[in-house]
Amino acid sequence: MKEWIRFVKKQEVELGAANCKKWLSSISIAQFDARNLYLEVADAFVREWFEQHLRSKAEAELKTVSGKPIRIHVALAKQNIISETPHQEVKQQLHFTCDSVDPYAHFENFVCDKENHMTFQIFQEAGKLEEFNPIYLYGPKGSGKSHLLMALCKKMRQEGLRVFYVCAENFMRHVVSAIRGGEMEKFRKVYREIDVLLFDDVHELAKRKATQEEFFHTFNLLHTAGKQIVLSSNIPQGLLGDIEERLVSRFEWGLTLTLTKPTERLCREIVVKRSEELCFPLTGEVVDYLLDEFSTTTALIEALNALVLRSHLGKKERIHLNEAKGFLQELCKKEKGAALTSEVLAHVVAEVFGIKHEDILGKSQCREFVLPRQLAMYLCRNKLKMPYTKIGHTFSKDHSTVMSSVKNIEEALHKESREMHTYLCDIERRLSKF
């Protein structure tokens, strides 16, 4: 495509030949038509660089003969591209391929503490645990679930097994595109003629009835054939909301494993280890800054990758604190906008119960406000690890009232109150972005 070639040559002048050789040489044209350009990149690192530094330029400069913008689609090599072209063209382009695996996701570089060590060991031996099927792994965002699934994917592939790793979002896209393109037979062949299914973020199937139906039959066929199924989720099976009971019951058939949120010490170790793998040493000041500004390992790794990309553009081998602050200014704003606080928790709980958040934070003893307030206190204690006294200050209650409220919720959960589990499931789903 001439327009793309001209654009690349222009970048050699603006970014320098060395940078273009490093980043642009691995970007190739997979396909193009009058209004679309499909690019393939070698790995996720190059794709992130393109999104941050070139997409806006490319979209502004690449035009059709009539002056209309050319849509740019970027995917990892051999990854599924769902076209925006008419129905008959979509059918020709459908490829139900598994998600790409992070090249840094190995068992050898998974950092864990004593609480997560047993889960880690079991995953290392997952191929020898045929009697446990499925394996259901849950833990908060950033606890390392995807890392373990990807590491397991690599190990099993090395053993010669046909492994399909996919996140719920892409599974849904595959189902929808297969239905629209009349390719359900091809879809089912891809998903059911495998040895191992690794399914990430299964909680995102909530409210997707058609997708759940297809996943139910895929699960049954694989399980009956003795094929290993490994699922991950942010929440335990009992709290999965808007997912059919017949699916939830199957998730409980095998082995349930948990991962806890990494401590600050563990996060520090993860950042340092990843920076060493990237051959990008960080000063102690920069590490402290990253830990202060970013609350999850996912956000920390994203920030570290951004530093590496921007330092390469600036031809720097080491980043100092002030430079890091400048490079990460936008990411810091994004992180603060998504931070989970007691105020945010109160808003979310209020939404679930259909009341105002001021009613939860206020002193009213109306019955309709008591349970939401107790749930909000329980979440502040368990999710934010706030001291009882600080929770009491937030909700205008004394220390003993907060303790009693938290205990009431814990007892209801222990008794497996369906009503309580339903409320918590809805809350968890709304909080999943934090």
Side-chain angles (χ1 to χ4, degrees):
M1 186 178 186
K2 294 179 181 179
E3 291 82 0
W4 172 253
I5 295 172
R6 282 197 294 267
F7 175 74
V8 171
K9 287 182 178 179
K10 185 176 180 181
Q11 301 317 302
E12 290 179 0
V13 177
E14 295 183 5
L15 300 176
N19 278 324
C20 284
K21 183 178 180 181
K22 183 179 182 66
W23 299 105
L24 285 173
S25 62
S26 63
I27 302 177
S28 60
I29 298 175
Q31 189 178 344
F32 65 89
D33 56 38
R35 293 291 305 279
N36 296 276
L37 172 63
Y38 297 91
L39 300 176
E40 283 191 349
V41 297
D43 54 46
F45 212 52
V46 176
R47 181 170 62 181
E48 184 176 349
W49 181 86
F50 177 87
E51 295 294 342
Q52 290 195 30
H53 301 286
L54 279 192
R55 176 173 284 281
S56 58
K57 286 184 179 181
E59 289 179 342
E61 296 190 25
L62 298 184
K63 307 287 184 181
T64 64
V65 177
S66 60
K68 294 181 179 179
I70 294 174
R71 297 190 187 96
I72 302 172
H73 311 264
V74 182
L76 296 177
K78 297 182 181 180
Q79 191 176 7
N80 179 35
I81 299 175
I82 297 180
S83 173
E84 296 179 22
T85 52
H87 177 84
Q88 63 272 20
E89 294 180 27
V90 172
K91 186 172 181 178
Q92 295 173 3
Q93 296 172 15
L94 287 179
H95 298 287
F96 304 110
T97 55
C98 55
D99 291 355
S100 59
V101 176
D102 187 341
Y104 294 99
H106 297 281
F107 285 127
E108 291 76 14
N109 60 15
F110 183 77
V111 182
C112 68
D113 51 20
K114 291 181 180 179
E115 290 185 21
N116 295 325
H117 190 66
M118 185 183 74
T119 294
F120 174 63
Q121 284 187 313
I122 291 174
F123 255 78
Q124 286 184 302
E125 300 296 322
K128 302 175 184 177
L129 300 174
E130 295 89 351
E131 67 271 25
F132 297 112
N133 197 23
I135 294 176
Y136 186 94
L137 174 68
Y138 75 88
K141 183 179 179 181
S143 56
K145 302 184 298 297
S146 296
H147 187 127
L148 284 183
L149 261 64
M150 291 179 184
L152 181 60
C153 178
K154 292 176 182 177
K155 181 181 178 181
M156 288 182 157
R157 283 176 180 170
Q158 289 172 357
E159 294 172 356
L161 296 172
R162 295 171 298 174
V163 185
F164 202 96
Y165 167 73
V166 67
C167 67
E169 181 181 358
N170 278 339
F171 180 80
M172 288 186 277
R173 290 173 63 223
H174 289 174
V175 172
V176 171
S177 57
I179 293 172
R180 289 177 178 172
E183 293 279 16
M184 287 307 296
E185 184 177 347
K186 179 180 178 181
F187 166 85
R188 288 165 182 160
K189 182 179 176 66
V190 169
Y191 271 91
R192 298 177 186 185
E193 295 183 2
I194 57 176
D195 298 312
V196 183
L197 176 63
L198 306 180
F199 199 95
D200 215 348
D201 293 331
V202 70
H203 56 275
E204 292 187 3
L205 294 182
K207 295 184 178 180
R208 308 281 183 167
K209 291 186 178 181
T211 306
Q212 288 181 39
E213 180 72 21
E214 196 56 43
F215 187 65
F216 173 78
H217 294 298
T218 299
F219 184 103
N220 277 353
L221 189 144
L222 292 174
H223 194 275
T224 301
K227 307 300 184 181
Q228 183 69 61
I229 302 169
V230 183
L231 312 164
S232 84
S233 174
N234 286 354
I235 52 181
Q237 302 96 316
L239 294 181
L240 289 171
D242 294 314
I243 290 183
E244 294 183 22
E245 288 188 15
R246 58 179 181 166
L247 263 180
V248 175
S249 67
R250 280 160 174 74
F251 297 164
E252 296 172 337
W253 279 354
L255 179 65
T256 300
L257 301 172
T258 62
L259 283 175
T260 58
K261 185 177 182 179
T263 61
E264 184 177 338
R265 179 193 64 77
L266 208 61
C267 286
R268 180 181 296 275
E269 191 175 341
I270 291 169
V271 170
V272 172
K273 192 174 185 70
R274 176 59 72 93
S275 67
E276 290 173 351
E277 291 169 349
L278 294 171
C279 299
F280 188 75
L282 297 175
T283 66
E285 283 184 323
V286 173
V287 174
D288 290 339
Y289 170 71
L290 291 175
L291 293 172
D292 287 340
E293 294 294 326
F294 301 96
S295 57
T296 67
T297 54
T298 305
L300 282 167
I301 297 303
E302 182 184 1
L304 178 59
N305 287 341
L307 283 182
V308 175
L309 288 169
R310 291 165 190 179
S311 67
H312 283 320
L313 285 176
K315 300 180 181 180
K316 292 178 176 292
E317 295 182 359
R318 198 177 186 90
I319 291 288
H320 296 290
L321 180 59
N322 287 337
E323 292 170 323
K325 288 181 177 179
F327 286 150
L328 300 179
Q329 188 175 7
E330 291 303 315
L331 280 180
C332 286
K333 289 180 181 178
K334 174 184 171 184
E335 176 73 6
K336 288 176 181 177
L340 182 59
T341 63
S342 57
E343 183 77 8
V344 171
L345 276 173
H347 272 284
V348 172
V349 174
E351 285 177 7
V352 169
F353 282 87
I355 60 178
K356 296 179 180 178
H357 84 282
E358 292 89 348
D359 297 326
I360 291 179
L361 298 174
K363 296 182 179 181
S364 173
Q365 292 300 315
C366 291
R367 188 174 180 180
E368 63 180 308
F369 304 145
V370 173
L371 178 58
R373 186 180 297 131
Q374 289 182 341
L375 264 172
M377 291 180 182
Y378 167 82
L379 290 167
C380 284
R381 179 65 178 169
N382 284 271
K383 279 194 167 292
L384 304 181
K385 308 301 180 186
M386 289 172 62
Y388 289 115
T389 50
K390 190 172 181 179
I391 297 174
H393 179 73
T394 302
F395 292 88
S396 303
K397 301 295 177 184
D398 58 39
H399 176 270
S400 59
T401 302
V402 175
M403 290 185 69
S404 176
S405 297
V406 172
K407 186 178 179 181
N408 287 342
I409 301 299
E410 289 174 341
E411 288 178 351
L413 292 173
H414 183 70
K415 294 176 181 177
E416 298 186 350
S417 164
R418 187 168 185 80
E419 179 187 35
M420 196 63 68
H421 277 294
T422 301
Y423 284 135
L424 269 178
C425 181
D426 197 357
I427 294 168
E428 288 283 355
R429 188 169 61 254
R430 294 170 191 246
L431 293 175
S432 61
K433 66 179 180 178
F434 297 99

